[in-house]
Amino acid sequence: MMKFLLKQSFIGILYLLGFNLTLQSQDIIKGQIKCQGEKLANVVVSNGYDFTLTDIDGNYSLPQNANVKFVYISTPSGYLPQTKGSIPCFFQNIESSDKAYDFDLIKNSRNDNKHTFIVQADVQVSKEKDIEGYVQYLKDLRQYIDQKKKNSDVFVLDCGDIVGNTPSLYPSYIQASDALGLPFYRSVGNHDMEYGVRSHEHSYKTFENFFGPIYYSFNRGKAHYIVLNNCFYINRHYRYIGYIDERTLQWIEKDLSYVPKDHLVFVAMHIPSSSTKDIKFNALLPDETSNASSLYDLLEGYDAHIFSGHTHYNGNVVFNNRLMEHNTAAVCGTFWKADICTDGTPSGCGVYEVEGNKVIWKYKSMGYLDTYQFKGYPIASSEDYPEDIIANVWNWDELWKVEWYENGKYMGTMNHFEGYDPEAKIICSDRERVEYDWITPIKTDHLFRATPIDKNAMIEIKVTDRFGNIYKQKVSTDKH
């Protein structure tokens, strides 16, 4: 008896450490996957540890163990899960091994080889009044996506911090999101976790109760989507780090074994993997993923994009020609105190259009057309460069060009620099407006400047994105 107890204890410890063991048990999870009566073969099914494919009759079976809470499918291309409002029902709670966990998928009426997805982050509603701001954002977004839906399948990736330590607002957030009429695939953020619990494994239980598994995948056309939890709670008051545990890494490795190398891979999570091309050495960080290189290794061989939030600013990191990260600005702007973020990026979302295994993107600012891709500031807007005009190009990366003209004459490229957005600096200095004393402007590297020769000249800024789209703005040279 003692040997048995020791063995079971040892197995339990290994599970907590993330090792995926196959328990010798008669219990299995089983079910069938169909679509309008058609039995679907080769659908990927997981219990969070193990994987299998459905057979020719659409049947599957998986081992069950004490750590299994859900059974879920990686929805195949050409099909959609049932939905409950904005929640896609690709998962079921495990209740008993005697029950059959069947899934009835919907045939996608569109060719999902071409589709559009929205990336949003940090809605971060902390009180009911914040929901009103979120509703206004969704109204603006709905007008925009209604045009996209005419020619494309559309869905939303939400990169977490849905609430601001207020899980009681999950129902209000869900109700608001449901009105958009789209499925939302959600990541858990650090402000979505339970604090004061004894371990990381307990920190995401409330989130799971509302939204399902904390890591999962699905497919559209020739694109594979992985949603992760990389907020690792370490039970030191409010303390967490960006970290992907071994259980999740093993799951990703198995999940990707079913994905052809010529497919795009998109990964959504809350905390950025890295804010720079160079990963910080020997660091346990709350704002970057400490073991990001492990994720990069798993993605090697794919054209991959990582989506994150958390920082409340916008930025892109091109790690190499096959891996890029898009850190998306906050829906809540300056925590619902202003409609721009602390780097000057307007509240909004990323819009990504996929065709085959190619993707293009732009940033959609709330209340603006999607041609609004930068803001130009006149002379004297910046305290650091009072003689210069300034351009904040929030979705910039190294393949963009930022140029300027003086009285119609081409003057070359603007000088790239790191600094404060002028408007964000003014807003954050208004303590009465921002309310919280911890809100401060942040330095950003998507700023550009130039010094006009003629102080009375007509100045025009021309920005060309990596896809060749051109955006122009005229700025005043009048000092103010």
Side-chain angles (χ1 to χ4, degrees):
M1 183 65 179
M2 181 59 69
K3 288 182 178 180
F4 173 79
L5 290 174
L6 287 171
K7 180 181 179 182
Q8 293 302 100
S9 297
F10 180 67
I11 290 172
I13 290 169
L14 290 177
Y15 264 108
L16 289 175
L17 291 175
F19 290 92
N20 185 15
L21 307 178
T22 302
L23 296 183
Q24 300 301 313
S25 171
Q26 299 301 312
D27 291 336
I28 61 169
I29 304 165
K30 59 185 181 297
Q32 187 180 58
I33 301 177
K34 297 186 294 185
C35 175
Q36 297 173 323
E38 175 192 0
K39 300 169 184 176
L40 300 181
N42 297 316
V43 177
V44 177
V45 188
S46 177
N47 61 10
Y49 293 87
D50 308 286
F51 283 79
T52 191
L53 293 172
T54 54
D55 64 19
I56 195 170
D57 293 316
N59 297 314
Y60 71 88
S61 63
L62 287 164
Q64 185 181 16
N65 62 64
N67 294 287
V68 167
K69 184 174 182 179
F70 300 101
V71 59
Y72 45 99
I73 62 174
S74 185
T75 312
S77 298
Y79 297 89
L80 299 171
Q82 304 283 343
T83 56
K84 182 180 178 182
S86 60
I87 298 175
C89 301
F90 60 88
F91 62 93
Q92 292 187 49
N93 286 71
I94 300 299
E95 299 168 0
S96 166
S97 59
D98 296 330
K99 177 181 175 181
Y101 297 92
D102 299 333
F103 292 88
D104 191 7
L105 301 183
I106 301 168
K107 185 70 175 175
N108 197 336
S109 61
R110 297 183 182 277
N111 179 356
D112 62 9
N113 198 49
K114 181 178 181 180
H115 61 272
T116 300
F117 62 95
I118 306 298
V119 176
Q120 68 178 39
D122 299 280
V123 176
Q124 207 151 328
V125 288
S126 299
K127 42 185 172 291
E128 281 290 347
K129 186 178 179 182
D130 297 340
I131 295 291
E132 297 173 12
Y134 182 50
V135 168
Q136 291 306 310
Y137 155 80
L138 291 172
K139 285 182 179 178
D140 177 72
L141 183 58
R142 181 162 192 165
Q143 291 180 342
Y144 179 71
I145 64 170
D146 279 349
Q147 297 301 314
K148 299 289 183 184
K149 286 168 67 175
K150 292 178 181 179
N151 301 303
S152 182
D153 181 28
V154 185
F155 58 90
V156 178
L157 294 178
D158 191 317
C159 289
D161 273 6
I162 289 166
V163 297
N165 304 326
T166 49
S168 61
L169 291 178
Y170 279 145
S172 296
Y173 158 85
I174 293 170
Q175 183 179 11
S177 300
D178 289 353
L180 200 59
L182 296 178
F184 280 56
Y185 295 88
R186 297 172 169 101
S187 305
V188 59
N190 58 289
H191 289 291
D192 300 322
M193 298 191 299
E194 292 282 355
Y195 292 105
V197 293
R198 72 181 190 180
S199 68
H200 166 66
E201 286 77 12
H202 284 275
S203 67
Y204 47 78
K205 296 302 183 184
T206 300
F207 182 92
E208 283 185 324
N209 290 339
F210 279 96
F211 303 109
I214 55 168
Y215 56 85
Y216 55 92
S217 68
F218 62 96
N219 302 276
R220 290 287 200 284
K222 295 187 73 174
H224 184 69
Y225 294 81
I226 298 174
V227 180
L228 300 179
N229 173 24
N230 67 337
C231 302
F232 196 91
Y233 177 59
I234 60 174
N235 194 17
R236 287 289 184 95
H237 302 291
Y238 183 74
R239 182 73 172 161
Y240 59 89
I241 59 172
Y243 182 79
I244 303 172
D245 64 12
E246 178 61 22
R247 180 184 73 170
T248 305
L249 290 171
Q250 288 191 21
W251 181 90
I252 297 169
E253 188 170 25
K254 293 176 183 178
D255 177 73
L256 286 173
S257 70
Y258 297 95
V259 181
K261 291 291 186 180
D262 65 341
H263 283 212
L264 287 167
V265 174
F266 297 118
V267 178
M269 57 194 194
H270 181 63
I271 297 174
S273 70
S274 177
S275 59
T276 63
K277 293 182 182 182
D278 298 321
I279 299 176
K280 292 181 176 65
F281 174 71
N282 196 24
L284 296 177
L285 303 168
D287 298 325
E288 294 191 7
T289 304
S290 299
N291 59 339
S293 61
S294 299
L295 176 61
Y296 302 158
D297 290 345
L298 292 173
L299 296 174
E300 191 171 351
Y302 294 97
D303 286 339
H305 295 256
I306 298 170
F307 306 109
S308 55
H310 186 61
T311 63
H312 291 238
Y313 58 74
N314 211 68
N316 296 298
V317 182
V318 182
F319 297 107
N320 54 56
N321 62 359
R322 302 200 73 179
L323 179 63
M324 185 171 182
E325 177 156 3
H326 310 265
N327 186 220
T328 307
V331 169
C332 69
T334 305
F335 300 91
W336 299 110
K337 306 303 178 186
D339 58 6
I340 65 170
C341 298
T342 52
D343 69 333
T345 302
S347 58
C349 57
V351 181
Y352 296 80
E353 297 183 352
V354 179
E355 187 162 3
N357 58 6
K358 303 297 180 185
V359 59
I360 60 174
W361 59 87
K362 61 177 56 176
Y363 187 83
K364 169 65 174 70
S365 301
M366 184 174 71
Y368 294 89
L369 299 175
D370 64 7
T371 52
Y372 183 56
Q373 293 296 309
F374 74 98
K375 181 172 181 176
Y377 289 97
I379 288 174
S381 296
S382 170
E383 293 179 359
D384 296 324
Y385 301 99
E387 299 299 317
D388 291 357
I389 57 169
I390 305 292
N392 188 341
V393 189
W394 38 79
N395 214 23
W396 174 86
D397 65 56
E398 292 95 329
L399 294 185
W400 289 50
K401 288 195 300 183
V402 183
E403 303 165 295
W404 69 295
Y405 294 77
E406 184 174 298
N407 288 327
K409 179 184 177 181
Y410 178 68
M411 303 299 289
T413 58
M414 296 180 70
N415 296 313
H416 182 212
F417 75 103
E418 183 178 277
Y420 296 106
D421 175 83
E423 186 180 6
K425 195 168 184 179
I426 291 171
I427 289 171
C428 291
S429 65
D430 185 346
R431 307 318 303 173
E432 185 176 342
R433 176 176 181 177
V434 298
E435 185 179 343
Y436 308 117
D437 58 10
W438 44 264
I439 293 178
T440 58
I442 60 100
K443 284 189 173 182
T444 177
D445 69 349
H446 47 67
L447 293 177
F448 298 82
R449 62 184 181 86
T451 309
I453 299 172
D454 179 358
K455 303 304 179 183
N456 298 309
M458 181 189 76
I459 303 295
E460 184 174 56
I461 299 172
K462 175 186 174 183
V463 172
T464 307
D465 71 16
R466 61 162 43 225
F467 306 111
N469 300 306
I470 294 173
Y471 312 98
K472 296 179 179 180
Q473 282 184 35
K474 290 182 171 63
V475 297
S476 170
T477 54
D478 293 336
K479 295 185 179 182
H480 56 261

